[in-house]
Amino acid sequence: MWKYKIQDNVKSYPISKEQFVDLLKILFINQSVIIPCLMIAYYVDKWGPVTTIHALPTISTAMTHIFFYMIAIEITFYYAHRMLHYIYHFFYKRIHKKHHTWIPPIAIAARQ
């Protein structure tokens, strides 16, 4: 499999035990924040107003909405990510820089 590796200049395979333990700590902290937020969002949504859909949109309407939604998400993500680099140095140093410490693409690091 090494012959198919695209990042030839990265020499950090396999990851060290210290890197793995650090990664697990970050994942635990992230999940400790995300899971309570999701639970709160679930109960807020459950207790919120109930809406009833009377008719489904046509395929062309749904596809148009999905297309524009995807474009909006990509633009929003790009500028939010850029702001974390250049505008909000406070957040970059403390939070976002962790996302750039993993150069080799490993699955568990994608969730940090």
Side-chain angles (χ1 to χ4, degrees):
M1 292 303 290
W2 285 102
K3 67 180 179 180
Y4 299 112
K5 187 172 173 282
I6 2 179
Q7 294 178 327
D8 293 329
N9 60 343
V10 177
K11 305 288 186 222
S12 56
Y13 282 113
I15 64 170
S16 69
K17 184 178 179 182
E18 293 80 25
Q19 285 177 311
F20 187 70
V21 169
D22 185 46
L23 181 59
L24 288 179
K25 287 178 191 175
I26 293 169
L27 289 173
F28 177 75
I29 292 168
N30 287 353
Q31 296 304 315
S32 299
V33 171
I34 290 171
I35 290 173
C37 289
L38 290 174
M39 291 172 67
I40 290 168
Y42 170 77
Y43 286 109
V44 166
D45 186 51
K46 186 177 176 181
W47 294 330
V50 177
T51 58
T52 306
I53 298 174
H54 297 286
L56 292 175
T58 64
I59 294 292
S60 62
T61 301
M63 295 307 284
T64 303
H65 287 193
I66 290 170
F67 174 76
F68 284 109
Y69 175 77
M70 287 171 48
I71 297 295
I73 289 298
E74 287 299 319
I75 291 169
T76 304
F77 178 80
Y78 172 78
Y79 283 107
H81 190 246
R82 191 173 173 96
M83 282 192 313
L84 284 172
H85 282 265
Y86 299 109
I87 297 173
Y88 299 114
H89 298 290
F90 175 83
F91 292 112
Y92 180 80
K93 284 190 262 180
R94 290 165 182 80
I95 299 169
H96 188 67
K97 189 174 181 183
K98 300 248 183 223
H99 140 85
H100 288 285
T101 57
W102 288 90
I103 296 170
I106 61 171
I108 195 168
R111 296 300 304 161
Q112 61 167 324

